[in-house]
Amino acid sequence: MTKIEKIVLSYSGGLDTSIILKWLQETYGCEVVTFTADLGQGEELEPVRAKAEMSGVKDIRIVDLREEFVRDFVFPMLRANALYEGQYLLGSSIARPLIAKHLVGIAREVSADAVAHGATGKGNDQLRFELAVNALDPSIKVIAPWRQWNIRSRMQLLEYAEKHHIPVPSDKCGEAPFSIDANLLHTSTEGKILENPAEVAPDHVYQRTVDPIDAPDTPEIITIGFERGDLVSVNGKAMTPAALLTELNGLGGRHGVGRLDLVENRFIGMKSRGIYETPGGTILLTAHRGIESITLDRAAAHLKDEIMPRYAELIYNGFWFAPEREMLQALIDHSQAFVSGEVTLRLYKGSASVISRASACSLYSADLVTFEESAITFDHHDAEGFIRLNGLRLRSLAARNGR
Ligand code: ARG
């Protein structure tokens, strides 16, 4: 085993990373610095400090990354209307490169030669962490205990915890918790009963959205402001990016917006089933499409839609810091120059629907499209010629095929 002098561990204070901390200290016999990012997971982070202290950690970093997360990662991604496999808003995928960036930053600052993470060998997250480290500083080694130690299952993990007197958290029902990843964009829940896709997810897996059946019977109307493709206000109130997304999460959560029960294809090769809750993100995606509908040119909008699956797949697979993602980002950002204005939505029993949109940069012309008489001259004969030429090949084909 190569000698490691100092390790920066991505540490949540949860069961897995508490065990990893112990294991790293024992296995490498070196200093471990812990890094805990506040990404708006909605948990108190001060207890994390106490836990790390109790484990003998001297250098404990707890950093509030909420604004950077939303401003530099979530917003750029949402400009693309990114969805993986048509449905997943990439809430975990987009957080990893940010965490990796700070792991690398701290490693450089404290002259650590390695970083460590708690992602397993079966998931996507290991790729996202490690591809990011590869891109940002290839001289830093990555330690992934889940791929190295002899612990092979969650059962064995619990046994290890018991042996080392590491407290095991339990969920609302007193059972070992699901595998949960939460931040300002989403909550992802995997494992246990959810591993059988034929089983209906029990109610208690949902954390930040009410069941649409129990949502208020009266709809709520909200207005969302955009500037150059980014969210800038909710109900006329300008706030910071993280505050805006927090506000939308509250509104969406109350109306049961943004639940998703999905079987997806992991990059590593297997299918997995997860429950996602993305209330604010779902509202934002719908609203963004609404403002784009009046401000984007047709060909520009369609080109965006063509590259979107590719862009989403890059983020899902962990290539945030790759040149092809940055190239697509430049194209997407360029398209947003006039994507400004306001969208009004109705939140009602699990749905967020656009009910009106307005923009000073609108391309929409009522005069042009109207069924009534209008001042704009539109020569209907042009349409006749347009159809004749577009139909030319179809007429040739029909004649040959004897239709
Ligand atoms: N499957 C999702 C993804 O690859 C979520 C992964 C993390 N979630 C979790 N519950 N551990 O982005």
Side-chain angles (χ1 to χ4, degrees):
M1 203 163 66
T2 40
K3 179 101 185 73
I4 302 283
E5 305 291 341
K6 203 191 260 192
I7 303 167
V8 184
L9 167 66
S10 173
Y11 177 71
S12 70
L15 177 61
D16 290 39
T17 51
S18 297
I19 291 172
I20 285 170
L21 174 56
K22 179 107 220 136
W23 184 85
L24 288 173
Q25 289 165 330
E26 284 191 349
T27 309
Y28 292 92
C30 72
E31 185 185 349
V32 178
V33 175
T34 59
F35 164 59
T36 307
D38 183 355
L39 295 173
Q41 51 270 58
E43 268 165 33
E44 257 308 320
L45 290 184
E46 269 321 298
V48 172
R49 182 180 303 281
K51 278 189 191 171
E53 262 166 13
M54 279 214 313
S55 304
V57 179
K58 302 251 155 42
D59 192 348
I60 301 165
R61 311 286 177 110
I62 299 176
V63 192
D64 184 349
L65 296 182
R66 286 175 297 176
E67 292 298 345
E68 185 181 4
F69 177 51
V70 180
R71 186 190 61 229
D72 297 342
F73 291 79
V74 175
F75 280 4
M77 179 174 79
L78 277 164
R79 286 175 213 143
N81 303 318
L83 287 175
Y84 179 66
E85 295 188 337
Q87 289 180 279
Y88 171 38
L89 275 133
L90 296 161
S92 293
S93 329
I94 192 64
R96 305 311 181 197
L98 170 62
I99 296 170
K101 177 186 159 194
H102 284 268
L103 276 175
V104 167
I106 295 169
R108 285 176 162 170
E109 187 192 323
V110 303
S111 305
D113 42 356
V115 296
H117 64 74
T120 72
K122 286 188 176 181
N124 295 311
D125 288 327
Q126 54 180 344
L127 281 141
R128 298 166 185 154
F129 282 126
E130 296 178 39
L131 293 178
V133 175
N134 274 264
L136 297 174
D137 191 340
S139 74
I140 295 173
K141 294 184 195 68
V142 182
I143 301 171
W146 270 108
R147 300 199 302 249
Q148 285 173 236
W149 61 24
N150 298 322
I151 301 172
R152 285 282 159 269
S153 66
R154 290 211 73 76
M155 270 315 259
Q156 291 173 12
L157 190 75
L158 297 177
E159 284 163 23
Y160 185 99
E162 219 164 280
K163 210 169 100 207
H164 291 84
H165 309 290
I166 295 167
V168 177
S170 56
D171 71 1
K172 288 178 234 163
C173 303
E175 292 171 29
F178 287 93
S179 169
I180 293 171
D181 180 52
N183 59 46
L184 264 184
L185 185 54
H186 86 173
T187 302
S188 149
T189 310
E190 295 177 355
K192 301 210 298 179
I193 192 178
L194 300 176
E195 287 179 354
N196 180 354
E199 283 283 351
V200 177
D203 282 339
H204 70 271
V205 307
Y206 294 97
Q207 319 239 326
R208 59 168 81 177
T209 54
V210 302
D211 188 326
I213 292 171
D214 303 321
D217 291 323
T218 20
E220 185 161 353
I221 308 296
I222 63 167
T223 300
I224 292 198
F226 286 97
E227 247 165 58
R228 303 174 69 88
D230 289 343
L231 172 66
V232 292
S233 67
V234 173
N235 291 327
K237 229 169 73 204
M239 286 180 271
T240 63
L244 287 166
L245 187 52
T246 305
E247 177 75 13
L248 287 185
N249 280 334
L251 289 163
R254 258 201 309 288
H255 290 277
V257 173
R259 287 186 169 197
L260 174 65
D261 181 330
L262 183 72
V263 174
E264 73 202 45
N265 292 292
R266 287 188 187 161
F267 190 23
I268 205 93
M270 65 279 267
K271 292 186 185 294
S272 76
R273 190 270 193 102
I275 299 293
Y276 297 107
E277 295 168 89
T278 319
T282 301
I283 296 174
L284 202 44
L285 176 73
T286 308
H288 186 251
R289 281 206 169 272
I291 194 66
E292 283 193 334
S293 71
I294 55 170
T295 54
L296 275 192
D297 163 66
R298 176 183 64 184
H302 291 187
L303 179 61
K304 277 191 82 220
D305 279 345
E306 274 174 46
I307 63 154
M308 183 279 277
R310 183 79 194 280
Y311 173 87
E313 189 174 60
L314 287 172
I315 295 176
Y316 187 85
N317 290 352
F319 291 93
W320 177 263
F321 292 113
E324 66 274 30
R325 198 284 304 174
E326 286 163 359
M327 288 163 68
L328 291 178
Q329 191 72 55
L331 182 152
I332 291 154
D333 292 352
H334 183 81
S335 75
Q336 301 294 290
F338 297 99
V339 181
S340 304
E342 291 206 320
V343 178
T344 302
L345 299 102
R346 183 177 54 215
L347 310 181
Y348 181 64
K349 293 209 176 277
S351 73
S353 332
V354 174
I355 54 171
S356 73
R357 61 305 264 156
S359 169
C361 315
S362 180
L363 294 168
Y364 189 94
S365 167
D367 254 351
L368 190 56
V369 77
T370 183
F371 289 103
E372 312 301 330
E373 286 246 33
S374 97
I376 293 189
T377 37
F378 178 86
D379 190 339
H380 289 260
H381 293 105
D382 288 347
E384 211 176 301
F386 183 67
I387 294 165
R388 201 166 33 240
L389 290 181
N390 272 287
L392 183 60
R393 4 180 309 272
L394 302 181
R395 290 194 299 278
S396 305
L397 282 164
R400 186 201 62 188
N401 298 349
R403 276 213 210 150

